[in-house]
Amino acid sequence: MQSCVILMYHVIDEPGNRVEAQFCCTPERFREQMRHLREAGYSPIPVSRLADWVSGGAALPDNAVCVTFDDGPASLYENALPVLREFDIPATSFVIAERIGGYNDWQVAEGCPRRRLLSRDEILELHRNQVEVGSHSSSHCFLPAASPEQIRREVAGSKAQIEDLLGIEVCGFAYPFGGVTEAARDAVAEAGYRFACSTEPGKNRPTTNRFLLRRVEVYNWDQLWEYRLKVRFGTTHARPGKPLARQMARGALRALGLRRDAYV
């Protein structure tokens, strides 16, 4: 049975401190990873094409893989785009509508360094270079704790804002903090999105819910051999120094809406 792994990145830069270290990938390591995708015969595609396949539409190429970025840090334009261009790799970026041209204040509150987010012009340049742009909500709100009206504004409002910038339909959404509830999922469908990405690891298959697409997070410490396993098997390994049981428990708390991380 065909399947597809979606890779999830955040900051493509050197870590500014230990708090954000997990969520960074150095430009050198990112280039090594993108080169591997090409040399190993993978077929990078935007998530919208995967969603069409899951919905019973367009065919999926052999060895398909998706590259995604959350939050919209400026490092995507500064450090990732040149590498994506070099290896001719399409990607998908989920940006926060009301923070375009701003800063990662919600992450600073968690102890992360302050980082600039993509400007309107940078987002348009990404769009012109095979990077499809989706929504990561209006303000990076934790949807499981939001009211129905707030969920609607975060989901539908952000779609309208980004469409106004791009001049085209925005078809993808990524749940902030990985927080998915039935109400949030229903709001995404009602707003007219074609797909949504979660933070649950695993491969995407024809039976996968297109509003709960799985993604595999790329960590700062992943060696190339680990990265190869992630792309091939759709697994997310335990973090150094943390037993697997602890990581699994942490993931369960996040799924229940009882825990959040700054960079998801």
Side-chain angles (χ1 to χ4, degrees), residues 15-16 123 153 159:
I123 291 173
R153 290 198 306 269
K159 186 176 192 292

Side-chain angles (χ1 to χ4, degrees), residues 5 201-203 216-217 226 229-237:
V5 169
K203 290 186 173 183
V216 175
E217 187 170 359
E226 295 174 293
L229 291 178
K230 288 188 171 188
V231 178
R232 183 175 180 183
F233 297 109
T235 58
T236 299
H237 301 297

Side-chain angles (χ1 to χ4, degrees), residues 68-148:
T68 69
F69 303 87
D70 279 10
D71 301 335
S75 64
L76 170 54
Y77 174 79
E78 296 166 345
N79 299 328
L81 182 58
V83 178
L84 296 172
R85 282 172 168 166
E86 179 182 356
F87 294 102
D88 191 27
I89 291 178
T92 303
S93 172
F94 298 102
V95 302
I96 305 163
E98 293 179 359
R99 296 184 183 271
I100 293 172
Y103 292 87
N104 61 331
D105 298 330
W106 80 99
Q107 294 163 343
V108 173
E110 299 292 331
C112 296
R114 194 169 193 244
R115 287 188 179 273
R116 184 177 70 82
L117 302 181
L118 293 166
S119 68
R120 294 173 64 89
D121 287 344
E122 288 169 339
I123 291 173
L124 290 171
E125 185 65 16
L126 289 169
H127 172 62
R128 287 190 286 265
N129 283 273
Q130 298 192 88
V131 180
E132 70 177 359
V133 180
S135 170
H136 201 32
S137 79
S138 291
S139 67
H140 207 278
C141 169
F142 186 53
L143 298 179
S147 68

